[in-house]
Amino acid sequence: MASYRVAVVPGDGVGPEISAEAVRVLDTAAAKFGFEVQSEWFDWGCDRYLSDGEMMPKDALDTLAGFDAIFLGCIGDANKVPDHVSLEMLLGIRVGFDQYVNLRPIRLYPGVPTPVRTATPETVDFVVIRENTEGEYSRQGGFFHPDAADGFALQTGVFTRKGCERVIRYAFELAEQRKSAGDTGRVTNCTKSNALNYSMVFWDRIYAEVAEAHPDIQRDMALVDALTMWFVKNPEWFDVVVASNLFGDIVTDLGAMLQGGMGFAAGGNIDPERRYPSMFEPIHGSAPKYTGQKRVNPIASVEAVRMMLDHLGETDAAAAVGRAVAGTLEAGEIRTKDIGGNNTTDEVGAEVARRIMEEQA
Ligand code: IPM
Ligand code: MN
């Protein structure tokens, strides 16, 4: 029997309650599809910072390295620790494990209300590939006489050939795969080379080089500002979008609204070479004010589990999770407050699990 070790880092705020639903669905899928999951929880986060002076232990990455995958709830609680300090934990894992692809599917499930009028299950079905280890998030720069009248701060982006090339190549390869499954076969380059005259000009040049090797995939480009407009105006145009770290971060919150809100958007921090465990997470924040109320939507976390199962090669189980999510949302009887329901986080998780279990082969 296949067996997987999954590290669960629930994090702050509502992290523990959504992680519980993620693990419930993971365990249910394992029972149904005949594999084993051993999950181990790590109470790393802001409370630990307050007691021990660090978000996670110094050897955290060594510990995590022994796992097959990581589920991350959500990190950060600005009332306890400044965000730029607490979030070093998330960014540290992404970079430390060279999870250079941040895979963010943008899909609207039938039955889910979205505030965006053009968004329908037919028009919203694309993937954003976000660079995840460098670019604008390289954390290079400094404060120079910050208290002086002429003080300033510098923040430098680092765009390496290797870093750009590998993530753009991943986007093209994904577009090839999607094309064989009936999608358009198009990679949109999210750029800003009209204003960022070094980093983004370099990025564009590498995009063109990689595109050259994939003549059957349509080339496409949009400046990031215009891209936000096109996401709303013509979501059906998009197939695969490749973006730098910061731009990918920004456009995927808009993508989440096309999907019905932050309660539906999941992401995978992937090391495609599988040297290290990949990490799956809902992309929403930790909503500290709702802690313990069991009111937030667990679907984003369940979607993260679906992506994890796909990554682990348990594709039948992943598809079953997808059907159970679709069934739950389409029936619309059991739903959380964000989409007009009255149910709790665990009631939605239990409903997804029930559907997985009860589905006839
Ligand atoms: C995300 C988040 C993080 C990011 C924050 C919490 C540092 O917004 O995963 O999208 O900017 O990458
Ligand atoms: Mn974000």
Side-chain angles (χ1 to χ4, degrees):
M1 196 200 299
S3 177
Y4 306 99
R5 291 186 69 213
V6 175
V8 179
V9 183
D12 302 302
V14 298
E17 50 208 272
I18 54 161
S19 300
E21 300 318 309
V23 171
R24 183 208 297 265
V25 168
L26 195 55
D27 287 344
T28 307
K32 174 87 176 197
F33 288 86
F35 56 92
E36 192 179 64
V37 174
Q38 295 175 306
S39 45
E40 203 174 314
W41 292 59
F42 296 93
D43 63 347
W44 302 340
C46 291
D47 286 330
R48 187 194 168 89
Y49 187 93
L50 294 181
S51 59
D52 298 15
E54 52 189 14
M55 296 287 293
M56 56 181 184
K58 294 209 172 35
D59 61 354
L61 262 59
D62 295 332
T63 305
L64 292 176
F67 286 82
D68 296 298
I70 304 163
F71 178 85
L72 182 80
C74 32
I75 306 291
D77 184 341
N79 290 320
K80 297 178 178 167
V81 182
D83 280 340
H84 70 276
V85 174
S86 61
L87 269 323
E88 260 173 36
M89 174 172 158
L90 170 63
L91 303 177
I93 298 173
R94 287 177 180 169
V95 173
F97 286 155
D98 207 16
Q99 295 163 339
Y100 64 84
V101 169
N102 195 327
L103 180 65
R104 297 191 161 180
I106 313 287
R107 205 170 70 173
L108 175 61
Y109 278 106
V112 175
T114 153
V116 183
R117 213 164 12 109
T118 48
T120 67
E122 291 71 39
T123 59
V124 178
D125 180 10
F126 62 98
V127 182
V128 176
I129 300 298
R130 166 186 177 187
E131 202 291 320
N132 212 29
T133 53
E134 56 169 45
E136 307 88 343
Y137 278 50
S138 299
R139 312 172 79 67
Q140 299 301 312
F143 299 110
F144 300 85
H145 315 291
D147 300 319
D150 58 354
F152 61 98
L154 272 184
Q155 185 94 42
T156 305
V158 178
F159 289 74
T160 66
R161 167 168 285 279
K162 174 184 164 194
C164 299
E165 211 170 79
R166 61 187 186 174
V167 75
I168 296 171
R169 198 180 324 114
Y170 184 96
F172 273 90
E173 284 166 7
L174 178 64
E176 302 268 14
Q177 266 177 39
R178 286 174 57 93
K179 190 175 179 189
S180 12
D183 280 301
T184 324
R186 175 185 296 133
V187 176
T188 301
N189 171 20
C190 170
T191 184
K192 190 64 192 175
S193 46
N194 57 345
L196 302 179
N197 56 336
Y198 298 112
S199 58
M200 282 293 144
V201 169
F202 186 67
W203 168 272
D204 284 3
R205 182 175 139 186
I206 294 173
Y207 172 90
E209 289 173 15
V210 176
E212 206 62 49
H214 298 272
D216 47 332
I217 298 300
Q218 290 179 30
R219 297 187 196 196
D220 183 38
M221 76 86 109
L223 300 170
V224 60
D225 49 343
L227 187 72
T228 61
M229 171 192 72
W230 293 118
F231 266 22
V232 173
K233 189 161 183 293
N234 292 102
E236 72 284 355
W237 173 259
F238 297 99
D239 182 8
V240 176
V241 177
V242 66
S244 65
N245 209 332
L246 178 63
F247 292 167
D249 175 46
I250 295 168
V251 301
T252 50
D253 268 27
L254 176 54
M257 296 318 288
L258 297 174
Q259 294 174 264
M262 297 306 286
F264 296 90
N269 303 274
I270 313 277
D271 165 23
E273 276 85 52
R274 295 172 186 267
R275 297 155 297 172
Y276 304 103
S278 291
M279 175 168 71
F280 300 84
E281 51 170 344
I283 77 168
H284 61 66
S286 57
K289 66 180 175 196
Y290 295 144
T291 305
Q293 294 181 18
K294 297 211 165 159
R295 63 171 273 163
V296 303
N297 195 337
I299 294 292
S301 297
V302 172
E303 282 287 283
V305 164
R306 181 181 62 73
M307 295 176 72
M308 180 192 290
L309 289 168
D310 249 329
H311 181 80
L312 292 172
E314 295 293 344
T315 50
D316 290 344
V321 171
R323 287 191 299 274
V325 168
T328 303
L329 295 171
E330 185 144 40
E333 283 150 14
I334 300 188
R335 46 187 189 164
T336 41
K337 279 213 169 55
D338 56 324
I339 48 171
N342 259 320
N343 294 98
T344 54
T345 307
D346 50 324
E347 285 168 348
V348 173
E351 172 64 8
V352 174
R354 185 189 69 76
R355 284 177 181 266
I356 294 169
M357 228 38 220
E358 289 177 8
E359 191 183 44
Q360 302 300 321

